Amino acid sequence: MQIYDHPTFQMACQQFDLVADLLEIPECDRDRLKFPKRSMVVALPIERDDGCTEVFAGYRVQHHLTLGPTKGGLRYHPDVTLGEVAALAMWMSWKCALTGLPYGGAKGGIACDPRTMSAGELERLTRRFTQEMIPFIGPQVDVMAPDMGTNEQVMAWMMDTYSMHVGHTVPGIVTGKPVSLGGSVGRREATGRGVAYLINRAMDTLQLDAAKATAVVQGFGNVGSVTAYSLAKYGVKIVGASDVAGGLYNPAGLDLDRLAAHLARHKTVAGFAEAEPVTNEQLLRLPCDILVPAALERQITEANAGRLRCRILAEAANGPTTPAADRIIAERPEIFVLPDVLCNAGGVIVSYFEWVQDLQSFFWTETEVAEKLFRILEHAFVEILKLSRTRGLSMRLAALRLGVKRLHDAKRIRGLFP
Ligand code: NAD
């Protein structure tokens, strides 16, 4: 299916093929596990603030419907394409299956630059996209959530547009909403908190002392900043951080509160006076115990994988490491990889909790949310580590093996339709 042609989709397919070989999945079963069930491409005309009309491209890919509704984020970024969204949807499928969530994977996106748009323009774009999606979404069909470039406000506009259409309030149509509209406490922090929890488990496994450990975080957005704060709570020193405008390094440790204040004032971490400026490429090669890519796909490639200077590579972003880089890292057993499908699963796990709370109109405390989140992550971490060790697989292959096998088994039992 050439419509999905994109380097990120090829990367997801290469990972799938490795696992399909491992599981000895018959060739004739592979395409229906790999290719999305349903994809929508829509033209989104909106009025800009200057009175002109501009048309944006919007995408939604629902990877499979075998285990329940589809679930996945909505990304606003200039480089969004159908192929990238399809890859992200496929990874969501493996992530949900390996953590035991009753969902298929999905992802959406609009090719736009939210940093250059006013709140009014973003609202019109979001409402128009939601309107176009109405025949294909629903709390039992497909449920969206925030991803790069989107946030609670975007989810609130989506929920409102859908609710106005059906004539009553439907909180379960999206997750990652404001708590005042039926969002879950702890959802905003869930992905970063989960990343930090798993890094802490990896430090235990490697017998690294958190109080002496250092971390570098690429992408100081929702996931990256919460990961940094949560790691700091475990005692880890954050020595590097970045965003799209550039990076920072201070071997003595960054003061996170002052960095957050700088970010709030200047809309970027770049230019923070208490650190030396570095490029994003240099940032990935800084000496540290923990490297956390928390921005885009394909950041760790064959060009820099041999030069990483970390002990733990914690993939908070989706797809930050290419298969070619994976092969180089496989020759470097000193690096422990927390693969994306496990590492950032905290987000979809608490999205699942939010959906369950909305369906029941019965809400949990933050302690309940955190305990249930850590229980699921702990179980997945232990299961994947055991599989990795007993079968001699990388952590990525072990995680994907669990996810792909669960879906393959379900598809075999159900039959050809879903
Ligand atoms: P966000 O928009 O809040 O933050 C993204 C950050 O990355 C920003 O600081 C941005 O400036 C930076 N960035 C963008 N392009 C960059 C580049 N080329 N180099 C360096 N930094 C760059 O997004 P987020 O929600 O934190 O998502 C980050 C990653 O985590 C994405 O890969 C997303 O798919 C993944 N993820 C997010 C969630 C979630 O709950 N939000 C859940 C699972 C996975």
Side-chain angles (χ1 to χ4, degrees):
M1 287 198 197
Q2 303 218 325
I3 49 166
Y4 299 114
D5 223 10
H6 184 275
T8 306
F9 189 69
Q10 286 158 11
M11 183 178 144
C13 289
Q14 282 173 37
Q15 292 175 347
F16 169 80
D17 289 339
L18 284 176
V19 179
D21 288 345
L22 260 182
L23 288 168
E24 298 178 359
I25 295 176
E27 284 294 334
C28 60
D29 269 358
R30 295 190 182 190
D31 279 359
R32 81 185 180 110
L33 280 165
K34 190 191 290 185
F35 290 110
K37 177 80 184 163
R38 207 186 265 160
S39 298
M40 281 71 70
V41 181
V42 289
L44 305 168
I46 62 149
E47 189 178 319
R48 299 297 300 246
D49 289 346
D50 63 7
C52 290
T53 301
E54 189 170 342
V55 180
F56 293 86
Y59 307 94
R60 185 72 182 167
V61 174
Q62 298 167 350
H63 184 242
H64 75 83
L65 312 172
T66 310
L67 293 167
T70 48
K71 185 86 193 74
L74 176 67
R75 175 173 292 194
Y76 287 0
H77 190 276
D79 299 337
V80 164
T81 65
L82 181 65
E84 180 193 48
V85 171
L88 291 163
M90 203 198 294
W91 285 323
M92 279 301 290
S93 285
W94 316 140
K95 194 183 302 178
C96 292
L98 77 89
T99 47
L101 306 185
Y103 293 134
K107 208 76 174 193
I110 301 179
C112 67
D113 187 353
R115 291 176 309 150
T116 62
M117 298 175 74
S118 69
E121 290 172 333
L122 283 173
E123 177 173 359
R124 293 194 285 283
L125 187 61
T126 302
R127 289 188 183 277
R128 182 65 196 238
F129 179 71
T130 311
Q131 184 65 41
E132 298 297 337
M133 287 297 119
I134 277 173
F136 310 105
I137 59 176
Q140 297 297 344
V141 182
D142 183 20
V143 180
M144 303 208 200
D147 190 80
M148 185 176 283
T150 56
N151 54 24
E152 290 182 2
Q153 176 62 73
V154 172
M155 293 303 114
W157 289 324
M158 296 195 87
M159 185 271 229
D160 182 65
T161 308
Y162 184 85
S163 299
M164 289 300 113
H165 178 83
V166 296
H168 57 92
T169 299
V170 188
I173 184 63
V174 291
T175 59
K177 304 175 287 296
V179 172
S180 58
L181 295 183
S184 177
V185 288
R187 170 60 187 89
R188 190 187 308 148
E189 300 81 7
T191 310
R193 261 184 202 160
V195 171
Y197 178 86
L198 291 165
I199 290 171
N200 197 36
R201 293 295 284 110
M203 285 193 290
D204 286 349
T205 308
L206 301 178
Q207 295 179 331
L208 285 180
D209 180 357
K212 293 190 187 134
T214 57
V216 166
V217 180
Q218 185 199 40
F220 207 71
N222 171 315
V223 177
S225 63
V226 175
T227 300
Y229 269 100
S230 307
L231 283 176
K233 277 195 191 143
Y234 287 115
V236 175
K237 188 160 71 180
I238 312 301
V239 294
S242 74
D243 62 21
V244 66
L248 310 164
Y249 179 48
N250 182 347
L254 298 166
D255 181 320
L256 293 180
D257 286 338
R258 290 157 74 109
L259 182 60
H262 174 92
L263 175 63
R265 210 171 320 121
H266 301 282
K267 307 288 173 234
T268 172
V269 296
F272 183 55
E274 296 165 32
E276 135 197 3
V278 289
T279 65
N280 263 293
E281 185 48 47
Q282 289 166 332
L283 183 100
L284 296 173
R285 290 185 265 116
L286 290 173
C288 59
D289 296 298
I290 305 151
L291 178 62
V292 186
L296 289 172
E297 303 91 64
R298 293 182 289 122
Q299 297 299 299
I300 297 162
T301 64
E302 55 193 316
N304 58 14
R307 298 161 77 192
L308 302 183
R309 292 156 79 189
C310 61
R311 293 292 316 283
I312 297 171
L313 174 60
E315 296 183 341
N318 286 304
T321 308
T322 65
D326 262 344
R327 288 191 287 276
I328 294 168
I329 293 170
E331 303 295 316
R332 300 190 57 191
E334 75 277 16
I335 299 182
F336 185 95
V337 178
L338 284 167
D340 51 2
V341 285
L342 169 67
C343 188
N344 65 37
V348 70
I349 293 169
V350 178
S351 273
Y352 164 59
F353 297 163
E354 181 172 330
W355 180 73
V356 168
Q357 292 171 77
D358 287 338
L359 294 182
Q360 300 183 341
S361 301
F362 182 66
F363 292 89
W364 311 345
T365 64
E366 189 151 4
T367 308
E368 285 174 291
V369 169
E371 274 173 11
K372 288 180 170 70
L373 166 66
F374 294 155
R375 201 183 312 142
I376 294 180
L377 287 177
E378 178 66 24
H379 182 78
F381 177 79
V382 169
E383 208 178 0
I384 291 164
L385 186 63
K386 190 166 151 214
L387 194 60
S388 154
R389 288 183 167 167
T390 53
R391 303 238 177 189
L393 300 174
S394 68
M395 285 290 280
R396 184 184 320 286
L397 280 183
L400 292 173
R401 189 185 188 282
L402 268 182
V404 172
K405 183 171 184 325
R406 281 190 187 145
L407 180 58
H408 185 226
D409 289 349
K411 279 198 181 286
R412 257 201 330 237
I413 297 164
R414 277 198 64 172
L416 275 184
F417 264 94

